[in-house]
Amino acid sequence: MDDESPGLGLDLPEQPQKPADASPYRVLARKYRPQTFAELIGQDAMVKTLGNAIERGRIAHAFLLTGVRGVGKTSTARLVAKALNCIGPDGQGGPTIDPCGVCEPCRAIAEGRHIDVIEMDAASHTGVDDVREIIEAVRYASVSARYKIYIIDEVHMLSKSAFNALLKTLEEPPAHVKFLFATTEVNKVPVTVLSRCQRFDLRRIPAEKLSEHFANVARAEGVEVEEEALQAIARAAEGSARDGLSILDQAIAHGEGKVTADQVRDMLGQADRGRIRRLLETLLTGDVAATLTQLDETHSLGIDPGSLFRGLMESMHSVTRAKAGASADPLQSAEEREHSAELAARLSWGNLHRLWQLLLKGLEDIRIAPDPQEAATMALLRLIHAAEMPDPSALAAMLAGGAAVAGAPSVPAAKPAAEPKASLPLDFAALVEAVESQGKQLLGVQLRDHVGLVSFAPGEMVLKPLKPLGADFSRELAAAAKQATGQNWQVRLTDEGGSPSLQQQEAMAEERMRAAVLEEPNVRALLDEFPDATLESIERKEA
């Protein structure tokens, strides 16, 4: 073989050489992971508590960090490890809330290579054997650090036996050992473990702080991002810095040197909202044929019925917020905001609540139905027809007033409580009204609630006390009746006979009216649709 011939005698193309200083790309969520407590956004209360504990030497042996994904639980655990093991640039420092970041322990912990800071993922180390290794190792002193620190992520994934094995060591660990637990589901952590830890609940990061943080990251990356785009990303992140940075990373790759709000909305799948708005408009017009046609179009495009209903519910939520005067969603375009404001002006609160409940019921039907598309069809038809019905309070008022309702039996209007006043009251109720008109309100309450009528005639009445009355009741009533009518009255009390009090009679009349309303087919249909709904008093509603 010729010495000048390469390898196997093949003329291989020259391989491009990687620059010596080239490094693999790091996603923004890792690149901008906080390295100091000052960089940890949205957790000021926790940082203050930890700072005070370290300053006063009241450092617990176990910490539990809980919160939704991406708020900084693991980052905080690493920062605590640095704070407890920092020795300062001169090697003489002690525990501090502001670790220097340049000493060997700080750099080793930041790079994940410190021998005395052990990180374990409980999702892949769930058994008692994994915990037994920790129990055996804690007996030995740390190699080079001030404290041996165990960071256990997603600690709720440990098995019951693993938790039980950890309890005694967790309660009385050696002085050189600290435990830092992180979890997104604190309700799955046994109470026996919670009672042995100092718990810190990391809050969702406010959208305005996330937007400001993302703006700083964009400037550091040399990328121009619209303010509205930053707000949309912060809104979509739902309080998670990591999720927001991942979205921003994707948006930068999606754009061409500049990130716009329209690009972000398109990237997040907001482009189909126009189809959702058109379907909602068609539903509200009651056009059955057009609604089914649009539903079939979404099915042919591969849109999941559940996703479709969730989109409709998002639109209804936006309309409700617009009607309440709340600030607009940053994820919405100007067109969507105008549409929400227009529907808010058209729909009443009753209609909004009824539509929301029907959509929620439809989403549940889609989830359990054998054919989700069929369930979506029936749910939309139910929504169209139910939207045409009056709400229960309006229907009750119509029935009480004798108004005709489609499909409802005729209900006569209630008779007035009393005939027009003559010179003398014609019945006991009219006399009570006459007495009350003279300013005798307390006596009127007694006549309505505390007595039953035995007999009544002009100038004479016999009453049965239903509750204790004063000794002068008969005399006071005779004087008040004379003042109201200009005629002498005889009042006699007896313990025999007697009808229910006027207040009891009114309650029974209201109950009869309520029963008549509840038996009306349209009202029954509404109550079947909303099992938790109740019919309020017609008198209170009208008032």
Side-chain angles (χ1 to χ4, degrees), residues 223-224 248-260 263-264 267:
V223 179
E224 183 180 354
L248 178 60
D249 216 342
Q250 183 180 354
I252 292 173
H254 183 79
E256 297 180 357
K258 181 179 180 179
V259 178
T260 66
Q263 288 174 344
V264 171
M267 184 188 72

Side-chain angles (χ1 to χ4, degrees), residues 35 56 65 89 107 132 147 154 183 227 263 303 389 468 489 532 538:
Q35 298 300 317
R56 298 168 186 172
L65 306 172
R107 288 190 288 109
R132 188 175 292 117
Y147 294 104
E154 299 301 337
T183 178
E227 178 65 26
Q263 288 174 344
I303 299 177
M389 299 172 63
W489 286 81
D532 295 333
I538 297 172

Side-chain angles (χ1 to χ4, degrees), residues 112-348:
R113 57 179 175 82
H114 200 294
I115 193 172
D116 291 321
V117 178
I118 301 96
E119 292 193 32
M120 187 182 89
D121 178 19
S124 56
H125 299 80
T126 62
V128 67
D129 291 337
D130 300 300
V131 172
R132 188 175 292 117
E133 293 181 7
I134 297 176
I135 296 172
E136 293 294 329
V138 297
R139 296 184 298 173
Y140 303 103
S142 57
V143 176
S144 62
R146 185 178 296 111
Y147 294 104
K148 179 181 284 189
I149 296 178
Y150 288 90
I151 299 175
I152 303 180
D153 199 10
E154 299 301 337
V155 69
H156 67 275
M157 299 292 287
L158 290 178
S159 65
K160 182 178 180 180
S161 58
F163 273 124
N164 291 334
L166 186 62
L167 285 178
K168 190 61 178 177
T169 302
L170 184 61
E171 185 172 19
E172 298 178 357
H176 62 271
V177 174
K178 303 293 182 184
F179 288 97
L180 298 172
F181 301 140
T183 178
T184 54
E185 300 184 50
V186 69
N187 58 300
K188 294 184 179 180
V189 179
V191 177
T192 50
V193 173
L194 293 176
S195 65
R196 290 166 167 82
C197 302
Q198 278 195 5
R199 172 175 168 177
F200 291 94
D201 291 80
L202 277 68
R203 301 177 179 178
R204 290 180 183 270
I205 305 172
E208 57 271 14
K209 289 192 175 182
L210 281 178
S211 180
E212 181 181 352
H213 178 57
F214 298 154
N216 294 333
V217 170
R219 281 193 293 270
E221 291 292 308
V223 179
E224 183 180 354
V225 184
E226 290 182 355
E227 178 65 26
E228 189 176 353
L230 291 171
Q231 294 175 0
I233 294 173
R235 173 70 172 80
E238 297 181 347
S240 168
R242 184 178 62 228
D243 287 7
L245 287 173
S246 298
I247 296 172
L248 178 60
D249 216 342
Q250 183 180 354
I252 292 173
H254 183 79
E256 297 180 357
K258 181 179 180 179
V259 178
T260 66
D262 289 338
Q263 288 174 344
V264 171
R265 280 191 286 265
D266 182 62
M267 184 188 72
L268 294 176
Q270 309 299 327
D272 287 333
R273 288 192 171 185
R275 184 178 299 276
I276 297 292
R277 291 198 306 274
R278 290 192 296 273
L279 177 58
L280 182 59
E281 281 284 358
T282 306
L283 282 169
L284 295 178
T285 60
D287 192 333
V288 175
T291 297
L292 296 182
T293 299
Q294 292 184 27
L295 180 61
D296 292 340
E297 289 176 357
T298 62
H299 183 64
S300 63
L301 292 173
I303 299 177
D304 176 66
S307 299
L308 180 67
F309 266 65
R310 282 190 289 272
L312 289 170
M313 293 180 72
E314 286 180 9
S315 294
M316 291 306 305
H317 181 256
S318 299
V319 173
T320 305
R321 284 180 60 89
K323 192 171 186 67
S327 58
D329 189 339
L331 283 176
Q332 288 185 320
S333 63
E335 182 182 359
E336 289 176 304
R337 295 170 190 173
E338 292 176 2
H339 180 258
S340 297
E342 178 186 349
L343 289 184
R346 287 167 46 189
L347 298 175
S348 67

Side-chain angles (χ1 to χ4, degrees), residues 328-404:
D329 189 339
L331 283 176
Q332 288 185 320
S333 63
E335 182 182 359
E336 289 176 304
R337 295 170 190 173
E338 292 176 2
H339 180 258
S340 297
E342 178 186 349
L343 289 184
R346 287 167 46 189
L347 298 175
S348 67
W349 282 111
N351 286 332
L352 288 173
H353 297 321
R354 187 158 64 251
L355 290 170
W356 175 266
Q357 292 295 331
L358 289 169
L359 287 170
L360 189 63
K361 179 67 165 58
L363 186 62
E364 176 65 15
D365 291 349
I366 290 170
R367 187 183 66 83
I368 64 177
D371 188 330
Q373 184 66 14
E374 290 180 355
T377 301
M378 299 305 296
L380 291 182
L381 292 177
R382 181 170 63 234
L383 188 147
I384 289 175
H385 291 108
E388 299 172 352
M389 299 172 63
D391 60 76
S393 60
L395 184 59
M398 294 165 62
L399 292 171

